[in-house]
Amino acid sequence: MAEPNIRPLGDRVLVKLIEEQETKKGGIIIPDTAKEKPQEATVVAVGPGRLEEGKRIPIELKKGERILISKYGGTEVKIDGEAYQILREDDVLAVVG
């Protein structure tokens, strides 16, 4: 998979959601519509950071990091047929690992 040619603006981050494996409970396969939205993602690109009193505050995240994101944060986008999410740095809860 080639990385998209996109650069988020301000304090926004482009992430690729990490899909969980098909969940089975008691031998029953749960359909996609009933599965919860994944909350783990990989950082694909980061913006330059937010402006505060004329100074640029850089984003603490780095490309390639695994992160936990807020469940309903961000905006889903499709780039070259792949699903991504753009969210503000505030929607990132933690770095995994």
Side-chain angles (χ1 to χ4, degrees):
M1 167 181 80
E3 289 189 13
N5 186 16
I6 189 167
R7 182 177 51 90
L9 300 176
D11 66 341
R12 289 181 176 81
V13 181
L14 179 71
V15 300
K16 176 83 172 148
L17 297 177
I18 298 172
E19 296 291 334
E20 292 181 19
Q21 298 295 356
E22 189 173 89
T23 307
K24 294 181 182 181
K25 290 187 179 181
I28 299 172
I29 297 175
I30 299 172
D32 289 339
T33 54
K35 291 180 185 175
E36 286 195 17
K37 184 176 169 184
Q39 291 182 268
E40 196 169 337
T42 303
V43 177
V44 176
V46 296
R50 70 182 185 278
L51 279 176
E52 200 171 281
E53 297 178 15
K55 294 178 95 177
R56 181 77 59 189
I57 310 296
I59 293 178
E60 294 182 40
L61 301 169
K62 295 178 190 77
K63 186 174 163 183
E65 285 185 312
R66 287 177 63 140
I67 58 173
L68 295 178
I69 61 174
S70 94
K71 196 169 195 171
Y72 299 106
T75 302
E76 293 180 20
V77 294
K78 278 209 176 215
I79 303 167
D80 298 329
E82 290 285 329
Y84 294 91
Q85 198 157 1
I86 296 177
L87 45 105
R88 290 191 175 276
E89 185 179 26
D90 291 346
D91 290 329
V92 177
L93 305 173
V95 175
V96 178

